[in-house]
Amino acid sequence: MSDTAPAASAPAEPPQPEQPSKNALKKAQKDKEKAQPVVLPAEKKAAAKARELAERSKKDAADAADVSANAYGELPLCGSTDFKPTGKARASLADVSENEDKEITFRCWVENARVQSAKLAFLNLRQGLSTVQAVVAASEKLSKQMVKYCGSISTESTLVVTGLVKRVQEPIKSATIKDFEIHIKELFIEVKADVPLPLQVEDAERPLPSDAAAEDDQKQEEGAERPLVSLNTRLNNRTIDLRAKINQSIFVIKSGVCALFQEFLSKRGFILVQTPKILGAASEGGANVFELKYFDRPAYLAQSPQFYKQMLIASRFQKVMEIGPVFRAENSNTARHLTEFTGLDLEMEFQENYHEVMGVLEDLMLFIFKELNARYRKETELVRGVYHIDDFKLPESGNVPRIPFKEGIAMLREAGEEVGDYDDLTTPQEKMLGRLVLKKYNSDFYTLDQFPLAIRPAYTMPSPADPLLSNSYDMFMRGQEILSGAQRIHDSTLLASQMRKHDPPVDPESAGTKDYVDCFRFGCPPHAGGGFGLERIVQFWLGLPNIRMCSLFPRDPQRVVP
């Protein structure tokens, strides 16, 4: 036997499992699918309902965790529920600088709202002519849900906002209030605005197309196109159009002209009167009047308060003024004519010469111009900034250029115009004369005196200097007429004679004139006056391209709505 042990044999490898074939795998998958329970339609619906309930439960849980749930949302329609006072005083955005680091509550509407991120939203809020930037920022006390809600509010919706007034480091360019912003704590929609709007308010802040073409072409070349909305589109959607700051400024100024008119004249003893606007017969020759049905007979809308102003002077009212509507049935489709406008009228007796009345009228307008500059500078600059008109050049009191009509004709002839000694001036000639006066006298306001008698009304006093001229005058702004006035005939015999000689003749015994002529038979002092067109004063002061912009809901030969 051998002394050595036999060598150990190597352990055998375990057998590898046999890989199933592809066919076997497919068969196994089919068997598995067959083993799945069949889901009936009803079971599918039940499963979907369960998932919906689960989602709703999840959302309810999230809403329950909304720390701002009671700080935003839509309020019930005002007046539809029992009134419960909040006790919160309402603030004005115009006074926001006085409330730094204080919490204020105010009503406003949305100019713009945008979500910056899940935790931040910005709103531009407006109240009157004031706009302010508002910030909604998520925090432990303000939820992301509120940020999202505030950033998605439709433009022009009316809100009640409570927030903290905070000073900013950099001026805010997009708001009129540049040094402060509102950090919103509560925001509720009082009235939600439907979208889309028929007209964007920001578009109404821009010039009319005809006056902005050159600027707009430049903007488009630079790739910064902006819509220009026609005047008709604006007027057809006037309640939206009037929300524009430029339009609200126009009517603040228009209101100011009326207030200043009364303020000046009241201090000088004028009495505010209201004369009839429905007449039983056409007056002043019967031209350019609107006829209407008055019960069972025709009547007419007053084309001026002229006859009644004079009848009041004959009634021993020494000085009268009126602010009221005037109706002219003139088919004039120009940029400075309306069929219904507001007249600023006055009439007064004078002592020796009708120029006394001209002096009152000139001082009245200088007062209005200077006070518009002082009291309504903000609104004036806002509008002129859009239409880029020069400041109105004003003369001093007593230095208003008074240009005899004959001298005005001579000035036009020197400038190359062909015009007769007694011709009425065309609109282009009036504008040219305005430029000549501005150059010579440095004044945008002036008076043209002693007009030809043939182109004035039949009640105008003839001039003692020339029987073809009259004691009448017009006043102009930037070369366009704003007032027509004159000394009136205060003798019934002369008045009747001049009416019969007028072209066309006026019957002093007609229903529309008999009472007027007869009132002078009982004694009437010499008197004069004039009538301003309110809308023209505003138009020419601001340099607006169309008088319709100065009427809330303008009436012209083509428009009687809205």
Side-chain angles (χ1 to χ4, degrees):
M1 291 185 66
S2 171
D3 293 336
T4 60
S9 61
E13 294 184 1
Q16 295 295 322
E18 185 178 347
Q19 294 296 324
S21 66
K22 289 184 179 181
N23 289 336
L25 288 173
K26 288 182 179 179
K27 183 176 182 302
Q29 179 64 27
K30 288 182 179 179
D31 292 340
K32 182 178 179 181
E33 291 175 355
K34 289 179 180 178
Q36 293 290 334
V38 177
V39 180
L40 300 176
E43 293 174 333
K44 286 184 177 180
K45 289 182 179 180
K49 184 67 175 177
R51 286 194 299 272
E52 180 183 341
L53 290 173
E55 289 294 327
R56 187 180 301 174
S57 176
K58 184 178 179 181
K59 183 178 183 302
D60 290 343
D63 290 343
D66 185 353
V67 294
S68 303
N70 297 321
Y72 67 97
E74 286 192 45
L75 296 175
L77 186 66
C78 184
S80 66
T81 60
D82 289 339
F83 172 65
K84 295 179 181 179
T86 63
K88 292 182 178 180
R90 298 296 178 93
S92 169
L93 286 183
D95 303 325
V96 74
S97 61
E98 301 173 9
N99 292 290
E100 185 175 355
D101 295 327
K102 295 179 182 177
E103 188 176 289
I104 62 172
T105 298
F106 58 95
R107 173 182 284 148
C108 58
W109 68 90
V110 181
E111 277 198 333
N112 182 43
R114 67 186 189 280
V115 174
Q116 190 78 3
S117 68
K119 293 185 176 183
L120 185 65
F122 290 96
L123 296 91
N124 269 36
L125 304 178
R126 180 176 163 194
Q127 184 189 81
L129 296 179
S130 299
T131 58
V132 68
Q133 177 176 280
V135 181
V136 192
S139 65
E140 292 181 358
K141 296 182 180 180
L142 196 149
S143 66
K144 292 181 180 179
Q145 294 97 316
M146 182 172 173
V147 172
K148 181 179 180 180
Y149 181 87
C150 293
S152 61
I153 297 172
S154 59
T155 301
E156 294 300 304
S157 293
T158 304
L159 313 178
V160 176
V161 171
T162 298
L164 192 64
V165 178
K166 299 297 291 183
R167 184 179 291 273
V168 294
Q169 294 181 348
E170 297 284 338
I172 299 170
K173 297 180 180 179
S174 61
T176 64
I177 298 171
K178 301 190 177 301
D179 298 325
F180 297 91
E181 64 184 7
I182 305 294
H183 290 202
I184 291 180
K185 293 188 173 182
E186 294 181 2
L187 181 150
F188 294 97
I189 298 177
E190 273 195 317
V191 185
K192 190 175 183 179
D194 289 340
V195 290
L197 297 170
L199 167 71
Q200 294 298 319
V201 176
E202 64 178 337
D203 295 341
E205 300 282 6
R206 295 166 182 147
L208 293 179
S210 59
D211 285 74
E215 180 184 353
D216 189 60
D217 288 343
Q218 182 181 358
K219 292 286 184 182
Q220 291 183 9
E221 288 174 6
E222 295 170 358
E225 295 184 11
R226 64 186 192 187
L228 292 175
V229 184
S230 71
L231 182 60
N232 272 338
T233 299
R234 298 184 188 198
L235 296 180
N236 289 339
N237 300 281
R238 192 60 160 156
T239 55
I240 300 295
D241 183 47
L242 287 172
R243 296 182 182 187
K245 288 188 285 294
I246 180 175
N247 288 331
Q248 298 218 344
S249 295
I250 289 170
F251 291 99
V252 168
I253 291 168
K254 187 176 181 181
S255 173
V257 172
C258 292
L260 295 168
F261 177 82
Q262 287 188 245
E263 179 182 330
F264 179 90
L265 294 177
S266 293
K267 291 180 179 178
R268 283 153 183 79
F270 282 77
I271 298 172
L272 182 67
V273 298
Q274 295 81 34
T275 60
K277 305 308 169 196
I278 299 177
L279 309 181
S283 61
E284 299 192 45
N288 303 324
V289 294
F290 289 109
E291 182 177 337
L292 56 90
K293 184 178 179 182
Y294 190 73
F295 300 105
D296 60 347
R297 58 193 184 277
Y300 305 87
L301 294 177
Q303 64 186 116
S304 94
Q306 185 56 48
F307 284 8
Y308 291 102
K309 290 190 302 177
Q310 291 184 251
M311 292 166 75
L312 288 171
I313 298 297
S315 301
R316 305 302 190 217
F317 286 75
Q318 293 179 307
K319 300 175 181 179
V320 295
M321 61 177 167
E322 179 172 12
I323 301 175
V326 176
F327 303 93
R328 297 281 172 86
E330 299 175 346
N331 194 16
S332 298
N333 295 280
T334 76
R336 65 173 195 171
H337 283 89
L338 294 169
T339 54
E340 178 185 355
F341 62 91
T342 305
L344 302 178
D345 278 270
L346 65 83
E347 203 77 19
M348 62 177 283
E349 66 174 70
F350 60 82
Q351 300 304 314
E352 297 179 321
N353 186 275
Y354 75 98
H355 281 184
E356 298 168 23
V357 181
M358 285 174 55
V360 172
L361 290 165
E362 290 166 348
D363 284 346
L364 163 66
M365 290 312 300
L366 290 180
F367 172 78
I368 289 175
F369 296 147
K370 290 179 179 179
E371 292 305 311
L372 286 176
N373 271 332
R375 305 186 200 182
Y376 300 93
R377 191 69 188 175
K378 174 183 176 183
E379 291 82 1
T380 296
E381 289 180 346
L382 191 154
V383 180
R384 287 183 184 168
V386 173
Y387 284 95
H388 308 293
I389 193 73
D390 292 335
D391 283 346
F392 196 82
K393 298 292 192 305
L394 285 175
E396 293 299 322
S397 177
N399 291 321
V400 174
R402 287 185 186 177
I403 302 168
F405 188 84
K406 287 185 176 181
E407 182 182 326
I409 294 295
M411 292 173 68
L412 287 171
R413 286 174 177 163
E414 288 177 10
E417 283 291 307
E418 294 184 5
V419 55
D421 288 346
Y422 302 100
D423 289 348
D424 199 3
L425 300 183
T426 65
T427 298
Q429 287 169 344
E430 288 181 351
K431 292 181 178 180
M432 177 180 284
L433 183 58
R435 293 191 292 271
L436 296 173
V437 172
L438 177 62
K439 184 177 181 180
K440 183 175 181 179
Y441 298 99
N442 195 34
S443 175
D444 277 313
F445 174 60
Y446 66 95
T447 302
L448 203 57
D449 191 21
Q450 290 279 301
F451 272 76
L453 183 63
I455 62 175
R456 307 301 278 198
Y459 48 75
T460 307
M461 181 67 76
S463 172
D466 184 339
L468 296 180
L469 298 178
S470 63
N471 292 349
S472 63
Y473 43 86
D474 282 359
M475 293 184 178
F476 295 82
M477 291 175 63
R478 301 188 194 271
Q480 301 198 68
E481 177 209 332
I482 58 166
L483 170 135
S484 182
Q487 177 184 353
R488 328 298 187 178
I489 297 173
H490 57 287
D491 176 83
S492 60
T493 302
L494 177 59
L495 177 59
S497 173
Q498 289 297 112
M499 292 173 80
R500 291 188 179 98
K501 290 191 296 184
H502 195 263
D503 184 17
V506 181
D507 182 2
E509 296 294 324
S510 69
T513 58
K514 188 177 188 320
D515 290 333
Y516 165 70
V517 175
D518 283 351
C519 82
F520 300 111
R521 293 173 52 208
F522 312 113
C524 179
H527 58 280
F532 293 95
L534 172 59
E535 287 80 7
R536 285 193 180 183
I537 292 174
V538 176
Q539 180 188 4
F540 303 147
W541 173 254
L542 295 173
L544 297 174
N546 198 298
I547 197 169
R548 289 155 186 79
M549 301 175 69
C550 304
S551 177
L552 287 170
F553 300 97
R555 297 291 179 256
D556 60 32
Q558 312 304 323
R559 179 176 293 277
V560 290
V561 293

